[in-house]
Amino acid sequence: MKVLIVEDERPAANYLKKGLTEEGFAVDIASTVSDADDAIEIANYDVVLLDVMLPGGSGVELCREWRQRGIMVPVLFTTARDELKDRVAGLDAGGDDYLIKPYSFDELTARIRALLRRPRPAVAADISIGGHVLDMNRKRLLFNQTPVPLTAREYQLLEYLAINCGRLVSRTALWEHVWETGSEPDSNVVDVYIRYVRNKLGDDGKRIETVRGRGYVLNCVSNSHEPYL
Ligand code: CA
């Protein structure tokens, strides 16, 4: 079982690593948001212990991003008592549980074991879009096993349509997932990016159907229902 500890206080992180290693876990440490994000792209973790207040951003926002990208690894937030608000936000953002600092090591291992016993949500790892394959584990689009270059934005757009395979996705929903939440959706920008993605898909571009006045549907097939991480 592999655990990622995301914690900027080194002594605390080292203490947790030592304890969890003695319990038989394989443990990595990340101390910033970007380190954590890199780690999650490289290794498959069974659980992430995620501090809420981190250099470079918030653990809550990071978790929200992971969920939007289809990364469903169980997340256990760790937060100070006076960050009560963040606890709620953390669960809203797709966190699975939280611990209030200071917590005992026994409490931590009990929570981790409880998370590991939970069934994982099934997320398709590969999605076929005609002759193309969207490999969500590696975050790339393949055609004849060759990667098709996509910008980060284009990838996110296509992935969000793919996660919603066969379902109508409104321009507003696309805007909120691929651009920013809280700002006024710009339908023209969404339409322009849909065009870019269609072009990248070549003949399979027609699999992104326009539903007039409502949004888009991607006609695709999920190849696997294995847990994602
Ligand atoms: Ca912190």
Side-chain angles (χ1 to χ4, degrees), residues 105-118:
F105 189 75
D106 287 347
E107 196 181 356
L108 172 66
T109 51
R111 297 291 184 92
I112 289 178
R113 292 190 199 292
L115 282 183
L116 293 175
R117 281 195 300 269
R118 280 194 199 172

Side-chain angles (χ1 to χ4, degrees), residues 202-223:
D203 284 347
D204 289 325
K206 63 179 184 296
R207 291 175 182 274
I208 304 179
E209 271 178 38
T210 307
V211 182
R212 196 180 287 275
R214 297 184 64 198
Y216 297 97
V217 177
L218 177 63
N219 293 308
C220 50
V221 178
S222 300
N223 298 327

Side-chain angles (χ1 to χ4, degrees), residues 6-9 51-55 78 83 101:
V6 186
E7 170 64 68
D8 55 311
E9 284 161 51
D51 186 20
V52 168
M53 302 289 263
L54 287 165
T78 59
E83 296 160 6
K101 295 176 182 180

Side-chain angles (χ1 to χ4, degrees), residues 86-138:
D86 298 317
R87 271 166 50 184
V88 180
L91 298 180
D92 282 351
D96 298 280
D97 201 357
Y98 56 84
L99 273 171
I100 298 181
K101 295 176 182 180
Y103 48 83
S104 74
F105 189 75
D106 287 347
E107 196 181 356
L108 172 66
T109 51
R111 297 291 184 92
I112 289 178
R113 292 190 199 292
L115 282 183
L116 293 175
R117 281 195 300 269
R118 280 194 199 172
R120 303 285 192 89
V123 172
D126 274 355
I127 304 238
S128 290
I129 306 163
H132 287 75
V133 173
L134 190 69
D135 171 2
M136 297 206 294
N137 280 317
R138 298 224 164 132

